[in-house]
Amino acid sequence: MPVEITWWGHATCTVADSDTRVLTDPLFARRLAHLRRRRGAIPPPGAWGADVALVSHLHADHLHVPSLARLAPGTRLLVPRGAPRAVPALRRLAHLRLTEMAPGDTTRVADLTVRAVPARHDGRRLPVGPHRVPALGYVVEGEARTYFAGDTGLFDTMAAEVGPVDVALLPVGGWGPYLGHGHLDPGLAAEALLRLAPRSAVPVHFGTYWPIGMDAVRPHEFHAPGDEFVRLAAVRAPKVAVHLLGHGQSVRPEVAR
């Protein structure tokens, strides 16, 4: 069966590979604190079904406990090592099979191998506080090797740490008018493509959530990152097939045989 990627919005994707469903950073909320979902419907109940869910880091738009609570009993949940200590609510999700991961760790899920890789991003749960847990990316290997970057900045050892991949799910924006340290904007994401050299890429983490009452503040940072990434990727990494998806849309990217 061909590998299929579905983007539900923000950093939430379903990767279907080897008859196994992988869900990334599940976020099924219309509103999250000061953020409102401005584009794309809330993912339907069918999107909640997965064999394994990957959580990249502790920020509430990536580790969203109410969304994780909707996952079916027995679902595997991979989180950064130390997450249950930093986010005690994770311990109450007794219906999930939780595994803590650190860079270099691997685990098997059905016919897939999932490997945790480093990310350059603030790992704290809150903007300030002592509970710092390293942010992760993940490489999912089955019929394809799919890299889910989570949130990350560009770093010198990215290609070596991630390794060869067929598909890269790369963040290209954010949820506010300014990107802080530890993020990829369209230009940096295009540079990451040049370094990683995947066959295909899907831009994520843009055009979904925005602060309430700030619709008129730098609106291009909400609307433009996907198209800008496509434009810059064609210049920096023209051999990579970039698939710009709408919310809920899917693609079956080319995979090495």
Side-chain angles (χ1 to χ4, degrees):
M1 180 179 177
V3 175
E4 185 173 82
I5 310 292
T6 304
W7 182 52
W8 300 110
H10 205 53
T12 306
C13 298
T14 295
V15 179
D17 187 337
S18 304
D19 294 319
T20 305
R21 289 171 59 86
V22 181
L23 189 62
T24 65
D25 285 349
L27 182 56
F28 307 139
R30 188 172 305 281
R31 179 174 174 177
L32 175 64
H34 64 299
L35 304 180
R36 174 172 57 89
R37 191 175 181 113
R38 287 190 55 204
R39 184 183 291 164
I42 300 297
W48 310 347
D51 298 284
V52 59
L54 312 179
V55 169
S56 63
H57 63 286
L58 303 191
H59 292 169
D61 58 321
H62 293 259
L63 195 169
H64 186 244
V65 174
S67 294
L68 295 176
R70 296 182 181 182
L71 301 180
T75 302
R76 290 283 302 277
L77 176 61
L78 308 187
V79 301
R81 184 173 295 169
R85 172 183 57 83
V87 187
L90 277 174
R91 304 173 199 166
R92 297 195 289 271
L93 302 178
H95 66 298
L96 304 179
R97 297 160 55 205
L98 188 147
T99 301
E100 298 182 52
M101 302 284 283
D105 288 350
T106 63
T107 190
R108 292 286 293 179
V109 181
D111 291 329
L112 301 180
T113 298
V114 182
R115 174 168 55 94
V117 299
R120 295 296 182 269
H121 193 67
D122 184 355
R124 290 173 292 189
R125 178 63 168 175
L126 299 173
V128 296
H131 295 307
R132 185 184 297 274
V133 173
L136 300 177
Y138 294 92
V139 176
V140 178
E141 185 165 358
E143 294 185 31
R145 289 166 297 188
T146 301
Y147 170 46
F148 169 60
D151 256 356
T152 187
L154 201 62
F155 54 99
D156 291 341
T157 60
M158 176 181 275
E161 299 276 11
V162 172
V165 292
D166 298 294
V167 185
L169 310 180
L170 292 179
V172 301
W175 50 254
Y178 299 97
L179 280 177
H181 179 72
H183 292 88
L184 297 179
D185 62 14
L188 291 174
E191 173 64 23
L193 277 194
L194 180 64
R195 298 185 185 190
L196 296 168
R199 287 175 171 262
S200 303
V202 176
V204 302
H205 205 271
F206 73 99
T208 307
Y209 291 91
W210 202 249
I212 294 169
M214 297 187 69
D215 292 7
V217 180
R218 293 173 60 87
H220 61 282
E221 297 292 350
F222 179 84
H223 295 285
D227 291 326
E228 184 69 0
F229 173 68
V230 171
R231 184 183 70 82
L232 293 173
V235 175
R236 300 301 307 277
K239 294 183 179 180
V240 180
V242 177
H243 304 281
L244 181 61
L245 302 180
H247 293 80
Q249 289 186 336
S250 302
V251 66
R252 293 181 173 180
E254 182 181 353
V255 172
R257 297 296 182 184

